[in-house]
């Protein structure tokens, strides 16, 4: 028999890690090739990981709720019909000898066993994944001091990242040999005991709770969203600007069509479809907005693929309208309806969330009038479409009640500057304010 590795797949264009939400198999189960092994969540999609082999599940290396980088091993399979036993995990994972035990102190503090830190193999060696080893070496961390939260207390990449961010608990100092009889040192012993009991690598401070408080476990999807948003805010210097648009003509035109359109097409003609079309047209005229930062270069994307934010009760997804500049308002409205339905029924596919080059967020759908979105990394900008509200405005020297909307743009200042973004927003404004029956065709 041969032991084969199943690794965390890349489930999206910019996805770098995934979280095991549910194992669909257990050790000893027989699986066929392409059978689903686990459900994995990322910031972009939920998906099943299929088996690449037929055989018997040998080991579940990652636990439920554990986040692993793309390419890390999640489980091993004993493959049928292969000659010669090959310990594949010893190729992918470097064995690390246990740390030498600290000299026994007179207090029980230093007695915390290393065996609970990470899973051991038959030779008594503690095993760590290559990603964990690399991170620890780069940051000069002693893995024997980091308690693991993975399967069988395995130290995971997330544990190491938490240790980097929050510090590693120090081991109790070995007693110094002296000629006089050792005296109990309370001042040294008490802090060591506290270190041994503290949850090392905790990602957040301990917050006291009161009677009636509700603790809500963080789901894999929420963790993935948090990770992606944190990366965007840390890496991309956000700037923000807003423009006010008079969409009275658009509102009148859409309202004159909505009933007959719904009856004829079977789905709604929303305001959002007009906004998405205007953004796609403006991106074609100002392609620099449709760019991404790539370290030593900026990549200007040829295709205009618009990510649209769709929220559920506890998560946010960004399906993509591909080549939006080539579609009619009717075609965009249809895709918005179909993608939103797939998100809310859990039927959205991984490839329907890939390739986005610019994000349009319909924050106005829940009453917002002004907001600053976080850029959908690695894109360079996100546009928030706010609520359409009736406000007094001056038109041709006269005050009248108009339908007004705010468009709020967050931009990556490494890629874009205020001048080009101002020109882009001005063009979107021009298109929307001139959306009338005479010069706009929804078909």
């Amino acid at each position: 028999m041969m032991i084969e590795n199943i690794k965390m797949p890349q489930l999206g264009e910019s996805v770098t890690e995934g979280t095991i939400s549910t194992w669909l198999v257990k050790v000893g189960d027989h699986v066929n090739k392409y059978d689903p092994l686990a459900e994995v969540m990322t910031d972009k999609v939920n998906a099943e990981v299929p088996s690449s082999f037929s055989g018997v599940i040998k080991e579940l290396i990652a636990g439920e709720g554990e986040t692993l980088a793309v390419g890390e091993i999640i489980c091993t399979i004993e493959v049928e019909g292969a000659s010669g036993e090959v310990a594949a995990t010893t190729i992918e994972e470097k064995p690390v000898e246990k740390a030498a035990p600290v000299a026994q102190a007179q207090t029980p503090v230093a007695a915390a066993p290393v065996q609970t830190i990470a899973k051991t193999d038959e030779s008594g060696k503690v095993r760590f994944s290559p990603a964990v080893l690399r991170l620890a070496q780069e940051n000069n961390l002693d893995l024997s001091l980091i308690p693991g939260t993975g399967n069988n207390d395995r130290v995971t990449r997330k544990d190491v990242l938490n240790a980097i961010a929050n510090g590693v608990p120090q081991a109790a100092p070995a007693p110094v040999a002296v000629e006089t009889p050792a005296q109990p040192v309370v001042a040294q012993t008490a802090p060591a005991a506290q270190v041994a009991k503290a949850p090392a690598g905790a990602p957040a401070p301990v917050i006291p709770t009161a009677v009636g408080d509700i603790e809500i476990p963080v789901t894999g999807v929420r963790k993935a969203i948090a990770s992606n948003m944190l990366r965007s805010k840390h890496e991309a210097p956000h700037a923000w600007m807003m423009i006010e648009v008079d969409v009275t003509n658009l509102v009148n035109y859409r309202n004159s069509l909505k009933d007959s359109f719904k009856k004829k097409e079977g789905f709604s003609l929303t305001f959002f479809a007009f906004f998405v079309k205007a953004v796609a047209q403006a991106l074609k005229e100002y392609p620099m907005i449709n760019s991404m930062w790539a370290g030593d270069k900026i990549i200007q994307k040829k295709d205009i693929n618009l990510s649209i934010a769709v929220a559920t009760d506890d998560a946010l997804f960004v399906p993509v309208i591909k080549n939006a500049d080539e579609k009619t308002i009717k075609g965009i409205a249809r895709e918005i309806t179909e993608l939103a339905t797939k998100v809310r029924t859990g039927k959205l596919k991984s490839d329907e969330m890939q390739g986005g080059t610019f994000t349009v967020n319909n924050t106005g759908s829940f009453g917002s009038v002004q907001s600053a979105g976080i850029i959908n990394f690695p894109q360079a900008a996100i546009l928030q479409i706010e609520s359409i509200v009736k406000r007094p405005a001056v038109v041709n020297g006269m005050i009248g009640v108009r339908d007004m909307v705010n468009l709020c743009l967050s931009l990556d200042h490494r890629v874009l500057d205020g001048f080009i973004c101002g020109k882009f927003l001005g063009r979107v404004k021009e298109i929307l304010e001139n959306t009338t029956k005479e010069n706009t065709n929804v078909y």
Side-chain angles (χ1 to χ4, degrees), residues 226-296:
S227 176
N228 197 52
M229 295 297 97
L230 190 64
R231 182 182 182 189
S232 180
K233 287 295 285 186
H234 279 188
E235 293 190 23
H238 281 54
W240 183 84
M241 61 194 310
M242 184 186 81
I243 195 167
E244 186 179 60
V245 183
D246 184 341
V247 290
T248 305
N249 291 334
L250 187 158
V251 169
N252 292 336
Y253 179 43
R254 178 262 181 183
N255 288 344
S256 70
L257 292 175
K258 65 175 183 177
D259 292 336
S260 59
F261 184 93
K262 178 69 176 291
K263 184 176 180 179
K264 179 180 178 181
E265 305 297 340
F267 56 92
S268 297
L269 178 63
T270 63
F271 290 120
F272 191 47
F274 288 89
F275 287 105
V276 170
K277 178 61 179 177
V279 169
Q281 184 177 335
L283 284 173
K284 193 167 186 178
E285 299 174 25
Y286 294 93
M288 191 61 192
I289 309 294
N290 201 47
S291 300
M292 297 180 182
W293 179 262
D296 59 345

Side-chain angles (χ1 to χ4, degrees), residues 264-337:
K264 179 180 178 181
E265 305 297 340
F267 56 92
S268 297
L269 178 63
T270 63
F271 290 120
F272 191 47
F274 288 89
F275 287 105
V276 170
K277 178 61 179 177
V279 169
Q281 184 177 335
L283 284 173
K284 193 167 186 178
E285 299 174 25
Y286 294 93
M288 191 61 192
I289 309 294
N290 201 47
S291 300
M292 297 180 182
W293 179 262
D296 59 345
K297 56 184 174 291
I298 294 172
I299 299 175
Q300 186 172 295
K301 305 298 287 185
K302 174 179 177 292
D303 294 333
I304 296 175
N305 299 333
L306 296 186
S307 303
I308 58 170
V310 180
T312 62
D313 289 341
D314 60 354
L316 181 69
F317 296 87
V318 279
V320 178
I321 299 175
K322 305 289 178 65
N323 300 308
D325 57 312
E326 300 175 2
K327 292 179 167 63
T328 63
I329 294 172
K330 171 198 166 182
I332 290 173
R334 182 191 296 277
E335 282 208 44
I336 291 171
T337 300

Side-chain angles (χ1 to χ4, degrees), residues 16-38:
T16 59
E17 61 185 18
T19 301
I20 303 291
S21 58
T22 306
W23 277 109
L24 305 177
V25 296
K26 60 182 181 298
V27 173
D29 283 357
H30 180 276
V31 297
N32 295 317
K33 190 174 183 180
Y34 306 123
D35 281 354
L37 301 177

